[in-house]
């Protein structure tokens, strides 16, 4: 992971540990999640069964090159399916290593297969009648194309797409802990995470302190070699991603956003970008409307919880959301009103094998992880046996 896409070495080690937890979770719980259910009616004995669909095609991204695959593969295989992986083009060694892990673990040949194919070839795989469903984690554009291709074949799809997650801070929050977590939530994986906090929506009473301390912490981050243990932000995964992030920042500043720190490429070998903070962001700028896949934080000042919700929901995305408040009423308000697949209160958004993961709006549909994740790729079969005279 570190060599192919620049992930911090310690973050790569943590990712492997997470994969272990995911595999163990489904090894221990799949039987219960897929257990036959009995439903008695006046006229029949009824059963609900969860049966495998067959070969499932997975198109996965580079930013979490092991975890994204295992969080699909562990439940899909435990449900009795076969998995075919088309991984991102810049992580082929990760893709091959994952296939090797399943082989070493004793899975029969072909149960998990890595396909080293070009993006243009994915459509023909989806069209193959042997493929029963498709899952994709990636961009909006890729999700639209894959969902359309699957729909033309009347095949199920699950999409986990982009996010522009809000990070809401209210006056009752523990500000020191919130600021520390906010920095970590924004710079995880050099900012290249769908569930990274991207839009910091700050109540007016805490705005000035939050901004001052947050900017200082962002400015002090150590950017460098991801193999070095002291490095806090490594390179972006490619030059095109670096150029895209810089273009979004420059256009936003030109539109009127205020640059508080950072805002340019670091002149050194590799695809490094300065930790960046933008404020006073106009609605017509890229920073307001688009997902920025790099270490760029966007700050918004709001008067109250209602305005915070309005700004948070003023997005085409709805993956995760984080709200920081110790007011029980506000906690319930945010949990109910935020338009997202996941709402975390007083903690950063994260994936956990025990909890369903996925988004709303243009962040996709369907769920991974939890009991819901293993039931995405099964045939939910109803069996009804009419009562006999003996009954």
């Amino acid at each position: 992971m570190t060599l192919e896409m620049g992930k911090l070495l310690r973050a790569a080690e943590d990712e492997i540990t997470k994969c272990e937890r995911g595999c163990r979770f489904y090894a221990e719980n799949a039987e219960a999640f897929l257990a036959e259910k009995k439903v008695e009616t006046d006229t029949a004995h009824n059963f609900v069964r969860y049966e495998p669909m067959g070969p499932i095609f997975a198109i996965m991204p580079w930013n979490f090159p092991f975890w994204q695959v295992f969080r699909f593969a562990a439940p899909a295989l435990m449900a009795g399916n076969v998995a075919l992986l088309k991984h991102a083009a810049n992580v082929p060694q990760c893709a091959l290593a994952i296939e090797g892990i399943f082989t070493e673990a004793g899975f029969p040949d072909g149960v998990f297969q890595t396909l080293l194919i070009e993006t243009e070839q994915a459509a023909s795989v989806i069209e193959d009648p042997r493929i029963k469903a498709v899952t994709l984690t990636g961009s909006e554009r890729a999700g639209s194309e894959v969902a359309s291709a699957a729909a033309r074949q009347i095949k199920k799809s699950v999409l986990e797409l982009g996010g522009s997650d809000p990070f809401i801070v209210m006056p009752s929050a523990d500000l020191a802990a919130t600021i520390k977590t906010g920095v970590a939530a924004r710079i995880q994986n050099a900012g290249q995470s769908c569930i990274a906090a991207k839009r910091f929506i700050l109540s007016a009473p805490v705005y000035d302190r939050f901004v001052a301390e947050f900017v200082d912490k962002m400015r002090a981050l150590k950017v460098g070699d991801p193999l070095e243990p002291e490095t806090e932000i490594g390179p972006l995964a490619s030059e095109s991603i670096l150029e895209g992030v810089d273009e979004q920042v420059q256009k936003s500043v030109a539109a009127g956003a205020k640059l508080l720190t950072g805002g340019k490429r670091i002149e050194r070998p590799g695809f490094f970008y300065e930790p960046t903070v933008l404020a006073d962001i106009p609605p017509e700028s890229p920073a307001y409307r688009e997902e920025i896949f790099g270490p760029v934080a966007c700050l918004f000042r709001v008067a109250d919880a209602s305005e915070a919700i309005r700004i948070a929901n003023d997005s085409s995305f709805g993956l995760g959301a984080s709200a920081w408040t110790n007011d029980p009423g506000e906690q319930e308000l945010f949990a109910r009103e935020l338009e997202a697949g996941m709402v975390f209160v007083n903690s950063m958004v994260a994936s956990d094998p025990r909890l369903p993961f996925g988004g709303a709006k243009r962040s996709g549909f369907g769920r991974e992880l939890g009991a819901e994740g293993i039931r995405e790729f099964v045939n939910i079969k109803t069996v009804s046996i009419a009562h006999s005279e003996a009954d």
Side-chain angles (χ1 to χ4, degrees):
M1 284 186 273
T2 301
L3 294 176
E4 286 194 315
M5 52 72 58
K7 187 183 296 288
L8 298 184
L9 183 58
R10 64 177 178 274
E13 293 168 345
D14 290 343
E15 186 168 329
I16 294 301
T17 300
K18 197 167 193 174
C19 294
E20 294 175 14
R21 290 201 304 269
C23 288
R24 186 171 300 280
F25 174 76
Y26 282 108
E28 293 175 348
N29 292 285
E31 185 175 5
F33 291 156
L34 301 176
E36 181 178 276
K37 295 182 179 181
K38 295 181 180 180
V39 181
E40 290 294 332
T41 62
D42 293 340
T43 59
H45 303 295
N46 307 289
F47 307 90
V48 179
R49 293 175 176 170
Y50 301 97
E51 299 181 349
M53 297 178 71
I56 312 299
F57 183 38
I59 303 172
M60 292 292 142
W62 49 263
N63 56 336
F64 292 90
F66 272 68
W67 173 236
Q68 302 275 18
V69 175
F70 274 91
R71 77 185 191 191
F72 148 73
L77 296 180
M78 286 300 293
N81 297 300
V82 169
L84 287 83
L85 169 67
K86 183 260 180 280
H87 218 326
N90 61 331
V91 289
Q93 299 304 316
C94 291
L96 292 171
I98 292 168
E99 181 179 291
I101 288 169
F102 282 106
T103 300
E104 186 177 347
F107 282 74
D109 289 344
V111 167
F112 183 96
Q113 301 176 50
T114 284
L115 308 179
L116 296 179
I117 60 175
E118 299 294 338
T119 299
E120 296 76 17
Q121 296 173 279
S124 63
V125 178
I126 296 172
E127 293 170 1
D128 191 298
R130 292 171 293 181
I131 298 296
K132 304 305 179 186
V134 58
T135 179
L136 173 136
T137 299
S139 67
E140 274 187 274
R141 185 178 68 177
S144 176
E145 293 174 354
V146 166
S148 297
R152 285 194 295 271
Q153 303 300 318
I154 321 297
K155 295 180 181 180
K156 182 173 184 177
S157 61
V158 170
L159 304 180
E160 194 267 280
L161 308 179
S164 188
D165 285 11
F167 187 102
I168 300 169
V169 184
M170 301 306 292
S172 64
D174 179 342
L175 209 54
T178 302
I179 294 168
K180 180 180 178 181
T181 304
V183 172
R186 181 61 210 123
I187 67 158
Q188 58 175 307
N189 207 34
Q192 301 167 122
S193 171
C194 296
I195 56 170
K198 299 185 176 81
R199 296 179 295 141
F200 292 79
I201 301 171
L202 314 171
S203 179
V206 301
Y207 183 89
D208 290 339
R209 180 186 165 190
F210 186 100
V211 171
E213 296 183 22
F214 184 84
V215 170
D216 284 346
K217 290 182 181 296
M218 289 286 281
R219 191 179 286 131
L221 291 167
K222 181 175 177 53
V223 181
D225 186 341
L227 291 168
E228 296 295 333
E230 66 272 14
T231 298
E232 295 173 291
I233 297 182
L236 299 182
S238 70
E239 188 165 20
S240 63
I241 293 170
L242 175 65
E243 291 173 348
V245 168
D246 188 54
E247 181 180 7
Q248 289 173 301
V249 170
Q250 302 312 321
K251 285 184 175 180
S252 297
V253 172
K258 185 177 180 182
L259 182 64
L260 302 184
T261 190
K264 62 181 185 294
R265 177 175 184 161
I266 299 174
E267 295 303 325
R268 58 173 291 171
F271 310 129
F272 294 90
Y273 200 76
E274 290 181 336
T276 298
V277 181
L278 299 173
D280 302 334
I281 300 162
E284 64 272 14
S285 68
Y288 192 100
R289 294 294 173 192
E290 300 173 4
E291 178 181 28
I292 300 181
F293 222 55
V296 180
C298 301
L299 308 183
F300 301 82
R301 183 198 297 262
V302 295
D304 52 28
S306 295
E307 187 179 8
I309 291 169
R310 181 184 66 79
I311 295 293
N313 290 343
D314 188 17
S315 171
S316 62
F317 297 108
L319 189 53
S322 179
W324 295 76
T325 174
N326 287 305
D327 181 315
E330 288 180 344
Q331 292 176 353
E332 172 56 29
L333 179 68
F334 289 130
R336 182 178 66 248
E337 297 295 333
L338 288 173
E339 297 171 352
M342 302 167 287
V343 176
F344 283 61
V345 177
N346 294 335
S347 64
M348 61 188 280
V349 178
S351 58
D352 184 309
R354 297 166 292 185
L355 299 173
F357 183 97
K361 302 199 288 190
R362 296 187 71 84
S363 287
F365 48 76
R367 291 296 181 265
E368 298 176 300
L369 303 178
E372 292 79 2
I374 198 170
R375 293 173 185 153
E376 285 286 1
F377 295 121
V378 294
N379 175 27
I380 303 175
K381 180 185 287 185
T382 295
V383 178
S384 183
I385 303 174
H387 287 161
S388 64
E389 293 183 5
D391 294 331

